[in-house]
């Protein structure tokens, strides 16, 4: 064999190995996104399972606050249904549920007996812990999506990504209230 042919074969082999490495890296990143999203879903399922218990625990105390309970129940049902519609729709539904839960917790503050109820306190604590875990899971998911989206948009992976159908993924958006900057008043009135 001539040296030129050997060099051409060596270059072709190196290119194939690089292409395979890039493709496998993209597949791994895509699978990490799926795993990160599954972690969000696990936490959301836990949240969805806790809500009926909380609603039942406060129902007897809050008989005339039926609208708040109905809002929480409806928001939970919408959030469960949105799970199959993708991250953007699921995030929007979960944000509505978060707002309904905030309303419920605000109303609970008006009932001293309810605030002191150990069952309600335990459920609130479990929901708070779950909310924190959801937040961490969302952060991990979004970081993974950012890494993947950056990778498929930069050279050399951009050439392979388009060729093999690696599409941009959606972020799991935060609730709208998270975009508002809190106002801090340090004046002494």
């Amino acid at each position: 064999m001539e040296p030129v042919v050997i060099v051409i074969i060596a270059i072709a082999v190196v290119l194939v190995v690089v292409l395979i490495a890039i493709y496998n890296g993209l597949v791994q990143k895509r699978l990490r996104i799926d795993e990160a999203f599954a972690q969000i879903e696990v936490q959301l399922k836990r949240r969805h399972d806790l809500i009926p218990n909380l609603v039942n625990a406060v129902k007897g105390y809050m008989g005339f606050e039926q609208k708040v309970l109905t809002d929480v129940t409806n928001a939970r049902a919408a959030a469960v249904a949105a799970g199959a519609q993708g991250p953007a729709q699921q995030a929007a539904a979960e944000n509505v549920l978060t707002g309904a839960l905030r309303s419920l917790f605000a109303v609970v503050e008006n009932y001293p007996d309810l605030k002191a109820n150990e069952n309600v306190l335990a459920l609130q604590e479990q929901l708070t812990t779950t909310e924190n875990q959801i937040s961490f899971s969302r952060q991990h998911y979004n970081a993974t999506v950012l890494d993947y989206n950056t990778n498929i948009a930069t050279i050399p992976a951009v050439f392979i990504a388009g060729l093999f159908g690696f599409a941009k993924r959606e972020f799991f958006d935060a609730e709208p209230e998270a975009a508002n900057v809190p106002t801090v008043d340090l004046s002494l009135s």
Side-chain angles (χ1 to χ4, degrees):
M1 258 194 198
E2 290 189 40
V4 173
V5 173
I6 293 174
V7 169
I8 292 173
I9 291 173
I11 290 173
V13 167
V14 167
L15 282 176
V16 167
V17 168
V18 168
L19 290 175
I20 290 171
I22 292 170
Y23 176 83
N24 287 342
L26 291 174
V27 169
Q28 287 176 344
K29 288 177 188 301
R30 185 171 58 192
L31 291 173
R32 281 192 203 115
I33 290 171
D34 295 340
E35 185 272 334
F37 191 73
Q39 290 302 317
I40 292 173
E41 288 179 328
V42 165
Q43 297 306 322
L44 292 176
K45 169 124 177 50
R46 176 171 162 71
R47 177 193 204 195
H48 298 159
D49 290 347
L50 287 170
I51 290 171
N53 295 335
L54 180 63
V55 168
N56 287 334
V58 301
K59 196 179 279 185
Y61 289 91
M62 299 173 49
F64 63 92
E65 304 273 5
Q66 193 60 40
K67 182 184 179 326
V68 174
L69 298 176
T70 302
D71 288 349
V72 169
T73 303
N74 290 342
R76 177 193 176 273
V80 169
Q85 298 174 2
Q89 294 82 358
Q90 188 171 16
E94 291 297 332
N95 292 339
V96 170
L97 178 56
T98 298
L101 285 172
R102 283 189 181 136
S103 295
L104 176 63
F105 291 146
V107 170
V108 165
E109 292 295 316
N110 297 329
Y111 295 89
D113 291 343
L114 189 55
K115 277 179 26 179
N117 182 297
E118 288 184 29
N119 191 29
V120 172
L121 289 172
L123 287 166
Q124 279 184 304
E125 179 62 32
Q126 288 176 21
L127 267 172
T128 300
T129 300
T130 301
E131 294 294 332
N132 290 336
Q133 291 170 343
I134 290 169
S135 177
F136 290 129
S137 295
R138 283 180 175 182
Q139 289 172 358
H140 174 65
Y141 173 81
N142 285 339
T144 306
V145 168
L146 177 64
D147 182 43
Y148 171 81
N149 286 346
T150 301
N151 203 289
I152 66 169
T154 56
I155 295 176
V158 68
F159 303 117
I160 296 171
L163 189 63
F164 289 102
F166 289 92
K168 186 176 179 181
R169 293 289 187 98
E170 296 176 343
F171 290 98
F172 205 110
D173 292 327
E175 57 199 90
E177 292 81 13
N180 297 337
V181 178
T183 303
V184 179
D185 184 7
L186 298 176
S187 64
L188 298 172
S189 299

